[in-house]
Amino acid sequence: MTQRDPDWAQWKAFFAARRERPGVRLLPDEPGLSGIPASVAHSLAIFQLGESGGGTVVGQARGSTLPSLGEDYAETLAMFVAEEHRHAELLACCVRALRGRLITRNWTARLFVFGRRLAGLRLKIMVLLAAEVVGICYYHVLAEGLPDSALKGVLREIIADERAHLRFHCDFFRTQLRTAMHRRVFAALWRALMFAAAVVVLIDHRHALSDLRIPVAHVWRRWMVYSRTAENRIVCVANRGAPAPCLGWQQGESR
Ligand SMILES: [Fe+2]
Ligand SMILES: [Fe+2]
């Protein structure tokens, strides 16, 4: 481990401390849920599907010979996958409370699975990092557009988790981008991936956004802030060896 490498044991302890959190219980007669459009339930069902699966990356991390990883990283990645599965359970509860139906197939979820199956741990983690930006941005704008309710609280809890996940994946890339050329290639691929993901999400979730009167331009602006923040955390930290400015993040988070 070099001086600039993340402390995976610390990340492992961070995820381990969150493993026993309770689930949530949402019922259709909870205050604030009855007026929420059906399109929101469908939108959350799509995300619920996306939050399921993803275990193969752990096996790949265990056998990886990439620099600065090791057993602590692989074990932390396994706990990260478990947290995503918890999100799937929370979202399933939200979908049922909105009297929506869970789904087993969706074209954007299939695209995400395709991305996750790309050869190479770095590409897989880049797709997972993109999913964190997608999740943080979308859950955030959705929570802003919803009336006060327990559902909003669940979304906020998931957003806080996704922010930690994003920092975890950013730390991974800081170990992998060791030259200026690596960082330039990463930035180019990252921007292309983020642009494609934005278009896909705006198309697939257009009905929920429209029903909640959330302007596309607002989603786009948030998207840009979060995707550039992730890029800065990786590229600027790797360039300077010091934390990048945390644009758009809540201050005072535990990690
Ligand atoms: Fe998640
Ligand atoms: Fe996540």
Side-chain angles (χ1 to χ4, degrees), residues 51 83-84 87-88 132 139 158 161-162 165:
E51 298 269 16
E83 273 201 4
E84 297 295 20
H87 292 172
E132 305 301 350
Y139 296 140
I158 296 177
D161 286 359
E162 307 297 23
H165 296 174

Side-chain angles (χ1 to χ4, degrees), residues 86-138:
R86 179 172 179 272
H87 292 172
E89 287 168 19
L90 295 178
L91 289 174
C93 184
C94 295
V95 171
R96 289 192 202 99
L98 293 173
R99 300 185 193 281
R101 289 173 56 181
L102 295 174
I103 57 173
T104 54
R105 292 167 68 87
N106 170 264
W107 68 281
T108 53
R110 277 204 298 276
L111 271 179
F112 178 49
V113 170
F114 170 76
R116 275 195 326 231
R117 288 181 181 165
L118 288 173
L121 187 62
R122 292 185 184 115
L123 270 177
K124 282 188 170 76
I125 301 294
M126 185 183 268
V127 172
L128 291 173
L129 179 62
E132 305 301 350
V133 172
V134 169
I136 293 168
C137 180
Y138 192 72

